[in-house]
Amino acid sequence: MSKRKKHVVLSLSGGMDSSTLLLRCLKEYDTCTAISFDYGQKHRVELERAESLIDYIAQSHPGIELNLKYQVIRLDGLSNLLNSALVTGGDEVPEGHYAEENMKATVVPNRNKIFASITQAIALSISEKTGENCDIALGIHAGDHAIYPDCRQEFRDADDYAFRVGNWGSEKVGYFTPYLEGDKFIILQDGEVLCEELGLDFNEVYSRTNTSYKPTPEGWSDFRSASSVERVEAFIKLGRPDPVIYGENGKIVSWEVVKSHVEKVLENHG
Protein backbone atom coordinates (compact mmCIF):
# COMPACT_ATOMS: atom_id res chain seq x y z
CA MET A 1 0.00 0.00 0.00
CA SER A 2 1.41 3.37 -1.02
CA LYS A 3 2.13 5.97 1.65
CA ARG A 4 -0.46 8.76 1.95
CA LYS A 5 0.67 12.25 1.07
CA LYS A 6 0.36 15.14 3.50
CA HIS A 7 -1.66 18.16 2.36
CA VAL A 8 -3.68 19.13 -0.70
CA VAL A 9 -5.81 22.10 -1.81
CA LEU A 10 -8.40 21.95 -4.57
CA SER A 11 -11.02 24.16 -6.14
CA LEU A 12 -14.39 22.44 -5.71
CA SER A 13 -16.73 23.87 -8.33
CA GLY A 14 -19.58 21.51 -7.49
CA GLY A 15 -19.19 19.84 -10.87
CA MET A 16 -18.58 16.20 -11.68
CA ASP A 17 -14.83 16.50 -12.27
CA SER A 18 -13.88 18.44 -9.15
CA SER A 19 -16.20 16.35 -6.97
CA THR A 20 -14.48 13.17 -8.16
CA LEU A 21 -11.13 14.87 -7.60
CA LEU A 22 -12.21 15.59 -4.02
CA LEU A 23 -12.82 11.87 -3.45
CA ARG A 24 -9.41 11.03 -4.95
CA CYS A 25 -7.75 13.58 -2.65
CA LEU A 26 -9.52 12.17 0.42
CA LYS A 27 -8.21 8.78 -0.58
CA GLU A 28 -4.59 9.88 -1.01
CA TYR A 29 -3.92 12.80 1.38
CA ASP A 30 -3.92 13.28 5.15
CA THR A 31 -5.55 16.72 4.95
CA CYS A 32 -7.69 18.26 2.24
CA THR A 33 -8.73 21.91 1.87
CA ALA A 34 -11.54 22.41 -0.63
CA ILE A 35 -12.57 25.89 -1.74
CA SER A 36 -15.44 27.07 -3.93
CA PHE A 37 -15.67 30.42 -5.70
CA ASP A 38 -18.78 32.55 -5.87
CA TYR A 39 -18.06 34.82 -8.83
CA GLY A 40 -21.65 35.68 -9.72
CA GLN A 41 -22.15 32.61 -11.90
CA LYS A 42 -25.66 32.02 -13.22
CA HIS A 43 -25.39 28.34 -12.26
CA ARG A 44 -25.12 29.11 -8.55
CA VAL A 45 -26.73 25.78 -7.82
CA GLU A 46 -23.21 24.34 -8.15
CA LEU A 47 -22.27 26.04 -4.87
CA GLU A 48 -25.26 24.46 -3.14
CA ARG A 49 -24.28 21.05 -4.53
CA ALA A 50 -20.68 21.43 -3.38
CA GLU A 51 -21.79 22.22 0.17
CA SER A 52 -24.29 19.35 0.09
CA LEU A 53 -21.55 16.93 -0.99
CA ILE A 54 -19.26 18.08 1.82
CA ASP A 55 -22.12 17.55 4.30
CA TYR A 56 -22.86 14.07 2.91
CA ILE A 57 -19.22 13.00 3.20
CA ALA A 58 -19.02 14.34 6.77
CA GLN A 59 -22.20 12.48 7.74
CA SER A 60 -20.92 9.27 6.15
CA HIS A 61 -17.56 9.56 7.91
CA PRO A 62 -17.94 11.21 11.36
CA GLY A 63 -14.70 12.90 12.35
CA ILE A 64 -13.59 13.60 8.79
CA GLU A 65 -13.90 17.35 9.52
CA LEU A 66 -10.54 16.95 11.23
CA ASN A 67 -8.86 16.48 7.85
CA LEU A 68 -11.38 18.05 5.43
CA LYS A 69 -11.87 21.81 5.44
CA TYR A 70 -14.27 23.64 3.15
CA GLN A 71 -14.81 27.33 2.46
CA VAL A 72 -16.62 29.47 -0.12
CA ILE A 73 -14.65 32.50 -1.32
CA ARG A 74 -16.86 35.35 -2.53
CA LEU A 75 -15.83 37.17 -5.69
CA ASP A 76 -19.37 38.03 -6.78
CA GLY A 77 -18.56 41.74 -6.91
CA LEU A 78 -16.85 40.95 -10.21
CA SER A 79 -19.96 39.75 -12.03
CA ASN A 80 -21.04 43.14 -13.47
CA LEU A 81 -17.47 43.77 -14.63
CA LEU A 82 -17.00 40.48 -16.51
CA ASN A 83 -18.09 39.80 -20.09
CA SER A 84 -19.31 36.21 -20.21
CA ALA A 85 -22.51 34.28 -20.82
CA LEU A 86 -21.86 32.40 -17.58
CA VAL A 87 -22.22 35.34 -15.20
CA THR A 88 -25.36 37.10 -14.04
CA GLY A 89 -26.34 39.75 -16.58
CA GLY A 90 -24.44 38.05 -19.41
CA ASP A 91 -25.83 36.81 -22.73
CA GLU A 92 -27.80 33.57 -23.08
CA VAL A 93 -25.72 30.41 -22.59
CA PRO A 94 -25.40 28.69 -26.00
CA GLU A 95 -26.59 25.14 -26.65
CA GLY A 96 -25.08 22.34 -28.71
CA HIS A 97 -21.90 20.28 -28.81
CA TYR A 98 -19.03 21.32 -26.56
CA ALA A 99 -16.57 21.59 -29.46
CA GLU A 100 -18.61 24.15 -31.41
CA GLU A 101 -17.33 27.68 -31.98
CA ASN A 102 -20.17 29.38 -30.11
CA MET A 103 -18.91 27.85 -26.86
CA LYS A 104 -16.43 30.76 -26.67
CA ALA A 105 -19.33 32.70 -25.15
CA THR A 106 -18.92 30.54 -22.02
CA VAL A 107 -15.36 31.74 -21.39
CA VAL A 108 -15.05 33.83 -18.22
CA PRO A 109 -12.11 36.23 -18.76
CA ASN A 110 -9.06 35.16 -16.77
CA ARG A 111 -11.18 32.96 -14.46
CA ASN A 112 -8.66 30.15 -14.07
CA LYS A 113 -5.87 32.66 -13.40
CA ILE A 114 -7.90 34.29 -10.64
CA PHE A 115 -8.72 30.91 -9.11
CA ALA A 116 -5.14 29.66 -9.50
CA SER A 117 -3.64 32.67 -7.70
CA ILE A 118 -5.89 32.18 -4.68
CA THR A 119 -5.35 28.43 -4.60
CA GLN A 120 -1.59 28.88 -4.81
CA ALA A 121 -1.67 31.38 -1.93
CA ILE A 122 -3.60 28.93 0.24
CA ALA A 123 -1.32 25.99 -0.59
CA LEU A 124 1.79 28.06 0.13
CA SER A 125 0.31 29.21 3.45
CA ILE A 126 -0.43 25.63 4.49
CA SER A 127 3.13 24.66 3.60
CA GLU A 128 4.55 27.54 5.64
CA LYS A 129 2.34 26.80 8.67
CA THR A 130 3.05 23.06 8.72
CA GLY A 131 6.61 23.05 7.41
CA GLU A 132 5.49 20.30 5.03
CA ASN A 133 4.82 19.99 1.32
CA CYS A 134 1.37 20.87 0.00
CA ASP A 135 -0.04 19.95 -3.39
CA ILE A 136 -2.61 21.72 -5.54
CA ALA A 137 -5.01 19.21 -7.08
CA LEU A 138 -6.28 20.00 -10.57
CA GLY A 139 -9.05 18.17 -12.37
CA ILE A 140 -7.66 19.00 -15.80
CA HIS A 141 -8.09 16.27 -18.39
CA ALA A 142 -7.51 15.51 -22.05
CA GLY A 143 -11.08 16.58 -22.82
CA ASP A 144 -10.41 20.18 -21.78
CA HIS A 145 -10.88 22.02 -25.00
CA ALA A 146 -8.66 24.32 -26.99
CA ILE A 147 -11.52 26.82 -27.02
CA TYR A 148 -10.61 27.67 -23.42
CA PRO A 149 -7.14 29.27 -23.50
CA ASP A 150 -6.71 28.96 -19.74
CA CYS A 151 -7.05 25.17 -20.01
CA ARG A 152 -3.96 24.91 -22.22
CA GLN A 153 -0.61 23.62 -21.03
CA GLU A 154 1.23 26.78 -22.07
CA PHE A 155 -1.03 28.80 -19.78
CA ARG A 156 -0.46 26.47 -16.84
CA ASP A 157 3.32 26.54 -17.39
CA ALA A 158 3.39 30.35 -17.50
CA ASP A 159 1.15 30.63 -14.46
CA ASP A 160 3.32 28.22 -12.47
CA TYR A 161 6.46 30.11 -13.49
CA ALA A 162 4.98 33.38 -12.20
CA PHE A 163 4.06 31.68 -8.92
CA ARG A 164 7.59 30.28 -8.48
CA VAL A 165 9.29 33.58 -9.27
CA GLY A 166 6.96 35.60 -7.07
CA ASN A 167 7.06 33.57 -3.84
CA TRP A 168 9.62 32.29 -1.38
CA GLY A 169 9.10 28.68 -0.38
CA SER A 170 7.20 27.86 -3.57
CA GLU A 171 9.36 24.76 -4.08
CA LYS A 172 7.28 23.08 -1.34
CA VAL A 173 4.11 23.42 -3.40
CA GLY A 174 3.47 20.79 -6.07
CA TYR A 175 0.64 19.61 -8.29
CA PHE A 176 -1.61 16.55 -8.33
CA THR A 177 -3.20 15.91 -11.74
CA PRO A 178 -4.59 12.34 -11.72
CA TYR A 179 -6.78 12.80 -14.81
CA LEU A 180 -4.34 14.55 -17.11
CA GLU A 181 -4.42 11.77 -19.71
CA GLY A 182 -8.10 10.87 -19.29
CA ASP A 183 -11.48 12.36 -20.13
CA LYS A 184 -14.82 12.80 -18.36
CA PHE A 185 -15.63 9.12 -18.78
CA ILE A 186 -12.33 8.10 -17.15
CA ILE A 187 -13.03 10.52 -14.30
CA LEU A 188 -16.49 9.05 -13.80
CA GLN A 189 -15.07 5.52 -13.83
CA ASP A 190 -12.64 6.54 -11.10
CA GLY A 191 -15.52 8.04 -9.15
CA GLU A 192 -17.32 4.70 -9.26
CA VAL A 193 -14.26 2.96 -7.80
CA LEU A 194 -13.65 5.68 -5.20
CA CYS A 195 -17.23 5.59 -3.93
CA GLU A 196 -16.83 1.89 -3.22
CA GLU A 197 -13.41 2.34 -1.60
CA LEU A 198 -14.59 5.24 0.59
CA GLY A 199 -17.89 3.64 1.53
CA LEU A 200 -19.98 6.25 -0.26
CA ASP A 201 -23.10 5.78 -2.38
CA PHE A 202 -22.44 6.65 -6.03
CA ASN A 203 -25.90 8.12 -6.64
CA GLU A 204 -25.78 10.15 -3.44
CA VAL A 205 -22.43 11.62 -4.48
CA TYR A 206 -23.25 12.48 -8.08
CA SER A 207 -26.77 13.72 -7.36
CA ARG A 208 -24.89 16.36 -5.35
CA THR A 209 -23.04 17.67 -8.39
CA ASN A 210 -23.97 20.12 -11.13
CA THR A 211 -22.49 20.38 -14.60
CA SER A 212 -25.28 22.38 -16.22
CA TYR A 213 -24.54 25.96 -17.26
CA LYS A 214 -28.31 26.50 -17.74
CA PRO A 215 -30.05 25.07 -14.68
CA THR A 216 -33.82 25.55 -14.52
CA PRO A 217 -35.44 27.90 -11.96
CA GLU A 218 -36.16 24.77 -9.91
CA GLY A 219 -32.44 23.96 -9.79
CA TRP A 220 -32.73 21.02 -12.18
CA SER A 221 -30.05 20.43 -14.81
CA ASP A 222 -30.68 21.24 -18.44
CA PHE A 223 -29.64 18.69 -21.06
CA ARG A 224 -29.01 20.94 -24.05
CA SER A 225 -26.05 23.13 -23.05
CA ALA A 226 -22.61 21.86 -24.02
CA SER A 227 -21.49 21.14 -20.48
CA SER A 228 -24.54 18.94 -19.90
CA VAL A 229 -24.06 17.11 -23.20
CA GLU A 230 -20.50 16.22 -22.21
CA ARG A 231 -21.62 14.98 -18.80
CA VAL A 232 -24.48 12.88 -20.16
CA GLU A 233 -22.11 11.37 -22.73
CA ALA A 234 -19.89 10.13 -19.89
CA PHE A 235 -22.83 8.50 -18.09
CA ILE A 236 -23.96 6.86 -21.33
CA LYS A 237 -20.49 5.34 -21.74
CA LEU A 238 -20.51 4.22 -18.11
CA GLY A 239 -23.80 2.44 -18.71
CA ARG A 240 -25.74 3.89 -15.80
CA PRO A 241 -28.27 6.73 -15.51
CA ASP A 242 -27.21 10.10 -14.19
CA PRO A 243 -28.76 10.58 -10.72
CA VAL A 244 -29.23 14.36 -11.08
CA ILE A 245 -32.70 15.64 -11.99
CA TYR A 246 -33.06 16.96 -15.52
CA GLY A 247 -35.87 19.32 -16.44
CA GLU A 248 -37.28 21.71 -19.00
CA ASN A 249 -40.19 24.18 -19.00
CA GLY A 250 -41.10 23.39 -15.41
CA LYS A 251 -41.28 19.63 -15.92
CA ILE A 252 -38.89 16.83 -14.98
CA VAL A 253 -37.44 15.05 -18.01
CA SER A 254 -36.70 11.32 -17.85
CA TRP A 255 -33.20 9.91 -18.27
CA GLU A 256 -34.30 8.13 -21.46
CA VAL A 257 -35.34 11.42 -23.07
CA VAL A 258 -32.10 13.10 -21.94
CA LYS A 259 -30.03 10.19 -23.22
CA SER A 260 -31.83 10.15 -26.59
CA HIS A 261 -31.30 13.89 -27.11
CA VAL A 262 -27.59 13.74 -26.35
CA GLU A 263 -27.09 10.70 -28.59
CA LYS A 264 -28.62 12.71 -31.44
CA VAL A 265 -26.36 15.70 -30.72
CA LEU A 266 -23.31 13.44 -30.75
CA GLU A 267 -24.44 11.74 -33.95
CA ASN A 268 -25.07 15.07 -35.70
CA HIS A 269 -21.71 16.39 -34.63
CA GLY A 270 -20.06 13.33 -36.10
Side-chain angles (χ1 to χ4, degrees), residues 181-199:
E181 304 301 325
D183 57 15
K184 259 187 162 49
F185 171 56
I186 296 299
I187 293 172
L188 197 55
Q189 275 188 317
D190 192 45
E192 201 171 34
V193 172
L194 286 164
C195 284
E196 184 172 344
E197 292 178 342
L198 294 171

Side-chain angles (χ1 to χ4, degrees), residues 106 119 147 200 204 207 226 239:
T106 63
T119 305
I147 203 166
L200 301 170
E204 290 288 346
S207 67

Side-chain angles (χ1 to χ4, degrees), residues 78-213:
L78 284 172
S79 61
N80 66 328
L81 301 173
L82 297 175
N83 180 38
S84 173
L86 290 195
V87 298
T88 302
D91 294 338
E92 185 74 11
V93 175
E95 298 177 352
H97 193 275
Y98 44 83
E100 291 177 6
E101 185 70 14
N102 64 351
M103 294 308 140
K104 284 185 178 180
T106 63
V107 172
V108 179
N110 219 33
R111 179 178 61 175
N112 281 0
K113 182 69 185 77
I114 296 168
F115 292 177
S117 294
I118 295 172
T119 305
Q120 289 161 351
I122 294 170
L124 184 58
S125 296
I126 291 172
S127 175
E128 290 174 342
K129 288 177 181 178
T130 63
E132 298 171 326
N133 291 348
C134 182
D135 285 345
I136 297 170
L138 301 172
I140 52 178
H141 58 85
D144 282 333
H145 313 299
I147 203 166
Y148 298 111
D150 57 4
C151 286
R152 297 171 184 166
Q153 187 61 48
E154 53 264 44
F155 165 80
R156 294 194 294 271
D157 290 344
D159 176 62
D160 179 66
Y161 177 75
F163 168 63
R164 304 289 174 192
V165 170
N167 291 280
W168 290 307
S170 58
E171 69 279 358
K172 300 194 79 171
V173 175
Y175 294 95
F176 178 53
T177 55
Y179 306 122
L180 192 59
E181 304 301 325
D183 57 15
K184 259 187 162 49
F185 171 56
I186 296 299
I187 293 172
L188 197 55
Q189 275 188 317
D190 192 45
E192 201 171 34
V193 172
L194 286 164
C195 284
E196 184 172 344
E197 292 178 342
L198 294 171
L200 301 170
D201 182 272
F202 179 90
N203 286 343
E204 290 288 346
V205 168
Y206 288 96
S207 67
R208 289 170 165 81
T209 64
N210 172 75
T211 308
S212 172
Y213 283 162

Side-chain angles (χ1 to χ4, degrees), residues 213-247:
Y213 283 162
K214 295 181 69 175
T216 70
E218 299 83 3
W220 304 332
S221 292
D222 88 294
F223 56 96
R224 300 184 186 277
S225 65
S227 57
S228 293
V229 168
E230 190 175 19
R231 175 186 174 121
V232 172
E233 181 183 14
F235 274 92
I236 291 172
K237 288 181 179 178
L238 191 65
R240 64 188 300 168
D242 188 344
V244 302
I245 298 175
Y246 286 91

